Amino acid sequence: MPPVGETAFLLDIDGTLLDLMPTPGEVFVPPGLAETLRRLLELSSGALALVSGRRLHDIDRIFAPDRFAAVGGHGVELRRQANAAEVISRVPALDRELAGRLKGLAELDPGIVLEDKVYSLALHYRLAPHRGEEIALRIAQICVDLTDLPIDVLPGKFVYEIKPAGFTKAGGVRELMALEPFRGRRPLFIGDDVTDESVFAIMPEMNGLAFSVGREAEGVNGCFGGPQDVREFLARLARWSQNDGGEVNFCPLR
């Protein structure tokens, strides 16, 4: 591990920092995590960002009163620095016809939770896992009917997310890493889901480190068992660096 003062921390949220819950609105920041993130933000001179499929306003709601630098909406939104007022947004709202037809899929089962992110739309079926295949088939049919719309369908952990094509977490990370205070640092990215694989793939070109959560993804340097392990690692890292000058000689391999 490089010294914290030379590292850029890039952290996924759901399933990585925070435990997954039955619905997206139920996630919460456990005791101690906010303090850990603030310490790492200070020790890295501001080079800490959250990288998520969630919109920035939703990220801020979860972590309030903290407002970290962030890549939101799978790369659609970007906040360059903590507490910065400027938010870069690259695409308009999701096509109304597409959004309307996708929202109708939530009527298949009361266990399907609709998450409207404006730029994208997610259908969570953790409470109705038997509907997963049917949801996928219906999304595919809607996409066939609307062939002129460039969209991506992202499968995740009991969720399908539909978003504009051309934007990924990796693209947002590349842009962020070209800006201060991230520029010139060695990135450390931690993520858990399929949507994080694009970031895993670009870490070698940045001399970065990548760690997956819950499974050993292709190309990562190691794997954490779950979000609790990630939080413990980051807390240890913050304490170690604060007390011993920044050099870290342990690695979260599993």
Side-chain angles (χ1 to χ4, degrees):
M1 291 283 298
V4 167
E6 299 173 9
T7 300
F9 293 93
L10 308 171
L11 307 169
D12 175 52
I13 299 174
D14 296 272
T16 297
L17 287 179
L18 307 183
D19 297 293
L20 293 172
M21 293 292 163
T23 65
E26 294 180 68
V27 302
F28 63 93
V29 177
L33 176 59
E35 182 181 359
T36 293
L37 296 178
R38 290 186 207 114
R39 284 179 182 168
L40 291 176
L41 184 70
E42 180 182 2
L43 292 167
S44 65
S45 300
L48 181 147
L50 304 177
V51 182
S52 177
R54 290 181 181 265
R55 292 186 64 198
L56 286 183
H57 86 88
D58 197 27
I59 294 172
D60 292 345
R61 174 187 61 79
I62 294 169
F63 287 90
D66 296 298
R67 296 173 72 248
F68 298 103
V71 174
H74 299 287
V76 170
E77 296 178 313
L78 180 69
R79 180 161 58 219
R80 307 178 186 196
Q81 297 180 355
N83 297 313
E86 181 188 15
V87 174
I88 300 172
S89 178
R90 299 166 175 76
V91 298
L94 201 63
D95 177 82
R96 290 181 64 182
E97 182 181 0
L98 173 62
R101 293 185 62 177
L102 292 169
K103 288 178 180 179
L105 298 183
E107 298 176 3
L108 291 172
D109 193 292
I112 299 173
V113 178
L114 172 70
E115 185 181 9
D116 187 348
K117 305 180 184 181
V118 182
Y119 307 115
S120 66
L121 191 146
L123 292 161
H124 299 265
Y125 59 96
R126 185 174 297 274
L127 299 177
H130 58 289
R131 293 288 193 178
E133 185 175 348
E134 182 179 5
I135 294 170
L137 291 172
R138 296 207 180 205
I139 291 173
Q141 184 58 56
I142 292 171
C143 291
V144 168
D145 292 345
L146 301 171
T147 54
D148 58 328
L149 296 177
I151 58 176
D152 290 331
V153 179
L154 305 177
K157 294 178 178 177
F158 296 102
V159 62
Y160 287 102
E161 183 156 357
I162 300 87
K163 71 174 190 65
F167 296 92
T168 64
K169 288 183 177 181
V173 164
R174 274 202 180 98
E175 185 170 348
L176 192 69
M177 288 299 299
L179 303 171
E180 295 293 345
F182 299 88
R183 183 167 52 207
R185 293 171 175 270
R186 190 178 186 188
L188 185 156
F189 176 69
I190 308 177
D192 75 302
D193 212 343
V194 175
T195 59
D196 298 312
E197 292 177 357
S198 67
V199 187
F200 295 152
I202 66 170
M203 284 297 100
E205 70 187 54
M206 300 180 181
N207 191 33
L209 297 170
F211 297 94
S212 56
V213 183
R215 63 188 179 94
E216 189 163 352
E218 182 176 354
V220 298
N221 299 93
C223 178
F224 292 95
Q228 177 65 35
D229 300 301
V230 176
R231 294 192 294 267
E232 289 177 359
F233 166 70
L234 294 175
R236 290 172 59 203
L237 192 60
R239 290 194 300 269
W240 183 297
S241 301
Q242 194 171 48
N243 296 333
D244 295 290
E247 288 291 342
V248 181
N249 61 6
F250 62 87
C251 193
L253 289 172
R254 283 192 174 226

